[in-house]
Amino acid sequence: MKYIDEYRDGRVARALAAEIAQVCTGPWVLMEICGGQTHTIMRYGLDDLLPKRLELVHGPGCPVCVTPLETIDKAIALATRPDVTLVSYGDMLRVPGSNSDLFRAKAKGGDVRVAYSPTEALKIAARHPERQVVFLAIGFETTAPANAMAAYLARQQGLRNFSMLVSHVLVPPAIRALLTSSENRVQAFIAPGHVCTVMGCGEYEALVRDFRVPIVVGGFEPVDILQAVLMLVKQLEAGKAELENQYVRSVSYQGNQVAQQVMAEVFEVADQKWRGIGMIPNSGLHLRDEYSAYDANKIFDLQLITADEPAECISAQVLQGLRKPTDCPAFGFRCTPESPLGAPMVSSEGACAAYYHYRRHAPAV
């Protein structure tokens, strides 16, 4: 199949679902890592096509959702400075900080600008040398190469008024943390296709070996996800634990090695805090010492800003596949996209937002 419509073909999807039902004796618990996959499952009702003995739970693969609360507070603090222009992807503006968000900071006069690429922030810095331009560089391995290139180009161009507030996270260490948790129920994973487009799928071999857990790299259309589920169920039923690649049209074993080289030039692996989950060893990317001149944390002395999640928000359990968004008493009432308690309700890839838009009136199961 070559075209997107074929991956949304209802007849193919129903045939795959029927085969899953025939093969599956269960019970099995599968986790899709990426929030984009979660939205596809909810939008097309893929979970309703599956047998009840097969449960899909949602993982921490929403980059906005796992950005630490204190990073949002730091961004807001920068946005309120009269000498700073804060540049961000648009879906970060409504993410709640401890007491506000970037949207409100902008409404109060902060110079907050939405960009689709970090190179736009570079252009702003070049046009306005009198201002400090800070790019809010968040995300998984998917966005890390472009953000690394921004720092690389700033250094090449000698820009002295550009910096980045970095909060990058890595998928494999998060899966490892989930699998070592005493509360883990997940028996197989759909790995995130977009991340693997950059990083390849080779780095998941260690997880398969260490935990004897099936992992299938999956795409984002309904047929992609159902095919990935079928591949995982066949492994589970046969007692196998292997790494497979369903998303072969985009993902290779080695990944994009040029992008990886740019990342390695600018970033180094470090411990990283995940919103709602906590510190995960070796799960983040920080700027190397050679690029410390572009580290907003150091330039503006932001390291002392810390914050805790609101007690009412259960996003930590949602991001770990322990609870569903509809299990939350605040869901759809005290927590909505317009007034979110946590990031999963406001992000375009958040599980809570997916349930709100496509399953708002569905009872908790």
Side-chain angles (χ1 to χ4, degrees):
M1 294 189 289
K2 300 180 181 178
Y3 306 106
I4 194 168
D5 287 347
E6 295 174 276
Y7 291 93
R8 296 178 180 175
D9 189 310
R11 292 172 299 176
V12 176
R14 286 188 290 271
L16 286 167
E19 188 175 357
I20 292 168
Q22 184 178 20
V23 171
C24 179
T25 63
W28 304 114
V29 179
L30 279 55
M31 174 181 280
E32 83 281 354
I33 291 295
C34 185
Q37 294 165 337
T38 303
H39 274 254
T40 297
I41 291 167
M42 294 295 105
R43 179 182 178 185
Y44 292 96
L46 301 186
D47 53 336
D48 289 338
L49 296 176
L50 301 176
K52 297 298 182 185
R53 54 191 176 274
L54 183 61
E55 182 183 0
L56 297 181
V57 296
H58 320 304
C62 163
V64 174
C65 304
V66 300
T67 300
L69 185 60
E70 54 256 42
T71 298
I72 306 302
D73 287 349
K74 291 175 182 180
I76 294 168
L78 289 171
T80 59
R81 291 176 60 114
D83 59 332
V84 168
T85 296
L86 185 86
V87 184
S88 171
Y89 297 122
D91 53 0
M92 294 300 297
L93 267 63
R94 293 303 300 270
V95 177
S98 296
N99 300 298
S100 185
D101 56 36
L102 287 170
F103 188 81
R104 291 186 178 92
K106 179 178 176 65
K108 291 180 179 179
D111 189 0
V112 179
R113 306 190 191 186
V114 173
Y116 295 96
S117 166
T119 56
E120 295 181 46
L122 288 177
K123 293 176 183 177
I124 294 171
R127 288 197 302 266
H128 299 281
E130 77 283 0
R131 298 190 61 77
Q132 289 293 324
V133 178
V134 181
F135 182 72
L136 180 53
I138 67 103
F140 287 91
E141 298 95 324
T142 318
T143 55
N147 292 341
M149 182 56 71
Y152 179 84
L153 290 174
R155 189 182 188 193
Q156 292 293 107
Q157 296 170 15
L159 287 175
R160 298 181 180 275
N161 63 324
F162 173 82
S163 61
M164 299 197 304
L165 182 59
V166 176
S167 184
H168 273 300
V169 288
L170 305 173
V171 172
I175 295 178
R176 185 172 292 274
L178 291 172
L179 287 168
T180 54
S181 170
S182 60
E183 297 180 288
N184 176 59
R185 299 189 303 124
V186 180
Q187 296 156 295
F189 292 86
I190 303 176
H194 289 158
V195 167
C196 294
T197 299
V198 175
M199 302 304 295
C201 36
E203 61 181 357
Y204 294 87
E205 293 276 16
L207 292 167
V208 172
R209 180 190 66 243
D210 294 347
F211 297 96
R212 283 203 52 78
V213 58
I215 297 179
V216 171
V217 178
F220 296 85
E221 297 300 330
V223 169
D224 286 321
I225 292 172
L226 289 170
Q227 187 176 25
V229 169
L230 177 59
M231 294 164 73
L232 288 172
V233 169
K234 284 183 175 179
Q235 285 199 51
L236 290 167
E237 294 289 339
K240 295 181 178 180
E242 299 174 351
L243 173 65
E244 294 185 276
N245 181 12
Q246 179 275 331
Y247 203 32
V248 291
R249 65 187 186 276
S250 296
V251 173
S252 67
Y253 189 83
Q254 296 84 8
N256 186 329
Q257 293 180 311
V258 174
Q260 294 169 29
Q261 290 169 6
V262 173
M263 291 167 59
E265 159 71 23
V266 175
F267 295 125
E268 61 185 358
V269 175
D271 297 345
Q272 176 68 29
K273 185 176 181 180
W274 294 53
R275 184 168 190 165
I277 297 176
M279 190 67 71
I280 300 178
N282 299 316
S283 68
L285 296 174
H286 294 183
L287 287 166
R288 292 187 177 277
D289 287 343
E290 303 94 291
Y291 288 85
S292 60
Y294 304 98
D295 188 343
N297 265 309
K298 295 178 179 179
I299 294 171
F300 298 97
D301 196 21
L302 302 172
Q303 291 93 331
L304 296 179
I305 296 179
T306 61
D308 295 317
E309 286 291 316
E312 188 176 15
C313 182
I314 69 165
S315 61
Q317 290 94 335
V318 172
L319 292 170
Q320 296 175 77
L322 301 175
R323 300 178 74 179
K324 299 290 179 66
T326 47
D327 293 330
C328 178
F331 175 81
F333 298 98
R334 293 183 301 282
C335 183
T336 67
E338 292 75 28
S339 182
L341 288 175
M345 178 57 86
V346 68
S347 169
S348 60
E349 295 187 26
C352 296
Y355 274 72
Y356 184 87
H357 290 300
Y358 304 118
R359 302 288 176 87
R360 191 188 316 181
H361 303 296
V365 177

